[in-house]
Amino acid sequence: MNQLIPPFIKPVEAVAGDTDYSSLRAAAMEMITGYSGRRWTDHNEHDPGITTLEALCYALTEQLHFSNLSVSELLQLLREKDALQTDFFQPQDILFNAPVTLLDWKKFLVDQDTVSNAWLTPLTNGNVPPLFLKNNVYNYTAGKSINIRGIYNALLQWAPDKNLGELNGNILSIPRTLNLPNGTQKTYWADLIFSFTWDSTDVEAIAFRSILAITNITLTTGLVPDVAAPGVYFATLKIDLGGPSVTVNVILRINTEMATGLERANVETEFGNYLKDKIAGPVPVYNKIINQAWTLSLNIRKLLLAHRNLAEDFFQLSAVKIIEIGLQCDLELTPGIEIEPVLAEIFYVVDKFISPVILFETPDPQNLADSFEGPELLHGYLSDRQLLQSPSCCLFLSDILHIMLEGKQQVRNPNIIAIFNLSLQSYINNKIAGNSEENCLRLLEDISWRPRLNIFKSAITVRQRGVMKSFSISDVFNRFNVLKNTPAALPAALPPADTGADAVQIPLIPAYYPVQYELPDCYQLSLQEKTAVNTQMRGYLFFFEQLLANMQSQWQHSMQLLSVANVGTETRFPVNLRQALPFYDSYLKAGYDTALLTDNKENQLRRSLMLDHLLARLGEDFRYYGSWNNLTGAALNTAKYNFLISLPALATARLQAFDYSKVSWNSTNTATVQQKLVHLLHLPDNLSKRRWKNPNSPAGPFSITGGGPFGFTVNNGNPLQVVNSPNNNYAFRYEAEDAATAVIQWGGNIGNYQIQEKAGAYSYVLLNDEQQLIAVSNNVLFVSPAAALAAATALAAYLAAQWLPLEGMHLVEMLLLRPQVYVTGGLQDELLTIPQVNGAIAEGFNEDMYSSQVMAVLPGAGPRFGDPGYQEVAAAVIRKELPAWLQVRVVWLNIFKMFEFEEAYQSWVSTVSNPAATEVNIQSAKKGMVRIVNSIHDMLRLRGEY
């Protein structure tokens, strides 16, 4: 099994100087001199032999030139329009491009249209529920804390919705316009805080995830002023839903200044009435926002699970929390200019600075390889540098001043004369959380709190020539939104890749051009009719024409040889001169066409080498799998080719696990590595399905006898075809099950039976390949060897027809069997058992049975899977293909244990993928899986495998 020779095809290195005209002619002249001696003394150009020699040297020089080109140069020369797209895998088709690292996942999520930013963090603050280890046994209460790895939380910041606007946070900015006693109108802006976001688990939050059929809204408490914060009010809303009701607490902050008590009372009444509006008020608007955000979170969760890697899972999706920033300053502007556009631009650039947007970039043309790092993105390229920039926990006033003065054009705005008294304030839930001090406003260091500018919590005083000027904050807000919603300029496109479409290419001769057409007319070779001269000359040149034509055909078919779309078997591509040069028809015997063909065995061998080369170029080695899987010739090449063309689907997401939220039983929803192993182990399919039926009597013919020691009986209903274990002395039940499984391994072949005679009566026994006794006929004595043989033949036919092993495998990720918290009272998961030897953790195991643990389960029966040698090789292949950071345990189960396992596994994966499954169903199915895994570990211990 040791790989001694790399599977690449190495080009033969040409000896310096032997492929050009001068060297060829010199070598030929040396041979002529040596062979002819004094008989051929005229070596001048007029000599017919020398003329022919020089023509052949020229022709060979041309063919050797093309043959000695590098592969890349030759393919560049041979390609046709778009040929590279179909004959070779493109980088994005074959390179691994699925998310793996936390930064990869961030890129993957930001690439979604609905996500503005995302942060993935490992769940490191203990498990839910907490898991402990005491005396090497797991429990829920005491001992060493076990932190299961591979579980991630995702913090999501949504992109603005085109209809609803901002989906993040729990804040609504709402305007109300009132008619004042003096006959004018005034717009009042307020911020309304709800007590929950889309990820909250309160009763009211869960209710808001669906669109509510609101029949009435009651302001049960009125607007209760906050004595510590002027302009802030508390309110409780009772939302009637035509029977049931939901109670929601809100905080209202009116940001617009109110001069008199009467004005304040009118504004409070207006906002109070607006809160009760069941059609267009803030409650139905916020209901739509929560519903949309929750829907997006479900879609993102589906996306994460569909791309989940082996032994990883996503625990919780969370909403970012908003800390609002207010800007205060005095502004001196150039006289006569319009104020609102200047303020809108100021707010726009400050907002961009406070809440930067991730922008797709153009990769550096000098380092294009960087663009292939991480997952393939739909919208362009994201550099690690941009994503690794840590959010600032401090907003410096000097930075704010600088961007205010320069604006979006990043040049000094001449309309801003001066900025005075600049300060910042932060707000949480409509209350002041902090003020700028010592040139900066400190923010929370918790990444879940994201700063966002609030125009209505800002206070800018505008003066022109020292005179205070009024402006419309509503107009400023509208202009600000126009600027904010204007799409950012896309990154400059990279120059198109140089495909060489316009490059000067040497025109290729579609058919072979014979060298004899270049000889002087005196040889009459341009004539189609036969003459005495050309007949002799053509016969002399036939060997050279065949050689040169074959050389040209070989290099002209390089594209076909190396193409992933090549399904042909021919590898030499000889030229039939009877067809290419019809005047040779009369020279050639009837067997020429047959003799010209490449031997099929040679073609298959050469194609096998070529496929090995193509696979090796992609980091794969299929050479040994043919012998492991008993494949040769065309069957082996078909398997290699099928593997080759499947690699784009297998390589791009090679670490991906199955999606447990979707139906996986009897489907192709399996781990990518499992689909790859279908090729490498030559399995019948990549479905997750039953590989074994119930062997137990009465459903099946197998039964385990005794209560210790144990034996077995195989009874298909015919008393003449019943066999038993040689003696019922197996100490453990699993030993009797393994022995019964061996009956399937060897019993389907009549060649493994022997007829025995005792006292004139006959019986039959079953032997394995080492002539060890497997089973004996059931105390039935036959009158003749023929009768015993007939019974044995019938039993072999029954076993071969009804119990032909169905090969396949299952991958179990122990992380998915971890304990969880249930809402339903009284439910608690059973825990895995750590295998132990003499009270200590067994070798090959550790304190954490859940993290990075994968069990590959296969049926240990059949001509291949029952062979210990094949089991060793297959286990090595499985471990090689699974990621190195995983601890992989490959187990081969007897037919009894395999049936038990598949019963539990089918129940579990079917339950967790069923949206209608209750917590009781999920807990019960998981319990069955935990118990079968624990029992497999017990069996391995008894077998002495650890």
Side-chain angles (χ1 to χ4, degrees), residues 742-763:
V743 173
I744 295 176
Q745 174 81 7
W746 306 106
N749 183 353
I750 187 59
N752 295 325
Y753 291 84
Q754 279 189 3
I755 307 301
Q756 295 186 341
E757 184 268 339
K758 183 177 182 181
Y762 300 89
S763 63

Side-chain angles (χ1 to χ4, degrees), residues 80 89 107 130 257 291 305 391 415 452 478 683 745 819 946:
E80 299 175 0
F89 295 133
K107 293 179 181 179
E257 185 178 352
N291 170 256
L305 293 181
N415 294 321
R452 186 173 72 198
N478 291 334
L683 302 180
Q745 174 81 7
Y946 68 80

Side-chain angles (χ1 to χ4, degrees), residues 44-323:
N44 295 309
E45 294 179 358
H46 64 265
D47 184 86
I50 299 302
T51 301
T52 305
L53 172 66
E54 291 180 346
L56 291 173
C57 288
Y58 274 119
L60 277 171
T61 299
E62 181 182 31
Q63 296 301 336
L64 290 171
H65 165 74
F66 289 111
S67 298
N68 289 334
L69 289 175
S70 67
V71 173
S72 58
E73 290 176 319
L74 193 57
L75 297 181
Q76 181 81 356
L77 184 67
L78 292 172
R79 63 161 188 202
E80 299 175 0
K81 183 179 180 181
D82 299 328
L84 295 179
Q85 301 294 325
T86 56
D87 288 300
F88 301 99
F89 295 133
Q90 301 302 297
Q92 65 270 23
D93 297 330
I94 198 63
L95 295 178
F96 179 75
N97 59 26
V100 177
T101 66
L102 295 182
L103 192 61
D104 288 345
W105 283 111
K106 184 182 181 75
K107 293 179 181 179
F108 178 75
L109 289 174
V110 172
D111 193 42
Q112 309 306 312
D113 290 331
T114 57
V115 178
S116 172
N117 207 340
W119 297 264
L120 263 78
T121 54
L123 183 64
T124 56
N125 55 343
N127 303 297
V128 182
L131 184 65
F132 300 95
L133 183 69
K134 187 174 183 180
N135 298 325
N136 294 331
V137 176
Y138 291 128
N139 68 87
Y140 287 109
T141 56
K144 180 180 179 180
S145 178
I146 300 297
N147 185 56
I148 299 177
R149 305 181 311 277
I151 311 172
Y152 303 101
N153 290 329
L155 180 67
L156 300 173
Q157 183 174 344
W158 304 120
D161 184 84
K162 63 180 181 180
N163 296 318
L164 298 172
E166 184 63 64
L167 299 179
N168 301 296
N170 57 345
I171 309 164
L172 284 183
S173 292
I174 51 178
R176 303 307 296 161
T177 301
L178 274 70
N179 295 317
L180 300 180
N182 60 8
T184 61
Q185 288 186 333
K186 183 177 180 180
T187 299
Y188 298 83
W189 284 88
D191 290 322
L192 184 66
I193 301 289
F194 287 82
S195 57
F196 55 87
T197 53
W198 61 264
D199 63 332
S200 303
T201 56
D202 313 65
V203 174
E204 59 269 25
I206 295 174
F208 266 59
R209 292 173 183 174
S210 302
I211 297 298
L212 302 175
I214 303 173
T215 58
N216 188 49
I217 300 176
T218 305
L219 190 58
T220 60
T221 60
L223 293 180
V224 180
D226 182 354
V227 296
V232 177
Y233 305 84
F234 300 103
T236 300
L237 303 174
K238 180 184 178 184
I239 306 169
D240 294 317
L241 305 174
S245 62
V246 176
T247 299
V248 174
N249 295 317
V250 296
I251 303 174
L252 179 72
R253 178 188 178 92
I254 302 175
N255 297 308
T256 305
E257 185 178 352
M258 297 169 284
T260 66
L262 177 61
E263 181 184 2
R264 181 179 298 276
N266 291 334
V267 172
E268 290 174 355
T269 301
E270 178 64 24
F271 276 105
N273 291 334
Y274 185 48
L275 291 179
K276 296 184 290 183
D277 187 343
K278 66 179 183 180
I279 304 297
V283 171
V285 170
Y286 195 64
N287 179 203
K288 293 177 182 178
I289 290 174
I290 294 296
N291 170 256
Q292 177 67 3
W294 177 250
T295 301
L296 294 181
S297 73
L298 295 179
N299 294 336
I300 291 299
R301 182 165 187 82
K302 290 179 182 178
L303 195 67
L304 290 172
L305 293 181
H307 293 80
R308 183 181 65 88
N309 291 320
L310 282 167
E312 294 182 355
D313 199 10
F314 299 96
F315 177 68
Q316 182 177 342
L317 305 186
S318 304
V320 294
K321 293 169 284 190
I322 300 300
I323 179 169

Side-chain angles (χ1 to χ4, degrees), residues 458-635:
S458 300
I460 296 182
T461 301
V462 178
R463 291 181 171 84
Q464 292 177 328
R465 290 198 178 97
V467 178
M468 187 178 297
K469 297 291 183 177
S470 62
F471 57 89
S472 170
I473 192 63
S474 298
D475 188 21
V476 172
F477 181 65
N478 291 334
R479 291 174 181 270
F480 165 79
N481 282 327
V482 170
L483 291 172
K484 194 170 182 179
N485 295 327
T486 301
L490 295 176
L494 285 174
D498 181 15
T499 62
D502 300 325
V504 176
Q505 299 187 22
I506 300 175
L508 297 179
I509 303 172
Y512 172 66
Y513 185 76
V515 66
Q516 57 189 270
Y517 286 178
E518 294 299 317
L519 292 178
D521 291 340
C522 62
Y523 296 109
Q524 303 175 5
L525 294 171
S526 61
L527 301 177
Q528 292 298 319
E529 63 274 11
K530 287 186 177 181
T531 67
V533 176
N534 66 21
T535 299
Q536 182 181 16
M537 194 64 178
R538 282 172 178 161
Y540 173 72
L541 292 173
F542 174 80
F543 168 78
F544 299 102
E545 298 285 19
Q546 186 72 71
L547 172 66
L548 292 168
N550 286 352
M551 288 181 67
Q552 177 172 314
S553 178
Q554 182 76 74
W555 65 258
Q556 279 187 325
H557 283 89
S558 299
M559 179 75 82
Q560 182 175 337
L561 276 174
L562 295 171
S563 170
V564 296
N566 177 25
V567 294
T569 57
E570 180 58 63
T571 59
R572 291 196 182 276
F573 309 100
V575 177
N576 189 320
L577 290 187
R578 192 194 299 276
Q579 300 170 1
L581 303 175
F583 49 74
Y584 274 126
D585 182 59
S586 60
Y587 290 71
L588 302 173
K589 294 182 178 180
Y592 166 77
D593 304 80
T594 304
L596 196 64
L597 298 176
T598 310
D599 178 70
N600 181 63
K601 186 175 181 180
E602 180 185 351
N603 265 332
Q604 295 295 350
L605 177 60
R606 285 165 55 83
R607 177 158 173 76
S608 179
L609 294 174
M610 186 60 66
L611 288 168
D612 285 338
H613 173 81
L614 294 177
L615 288 169
R617 296 277 296 177
L618 302 176
E620 302 292 345
D621 190 348
F622 209 86
R623 292 176 297 166
Y624 299 110
Y625 300 159
S627 57
W628 297 340
N629 300 315
N630 298 320
L631 296 177
T632 58

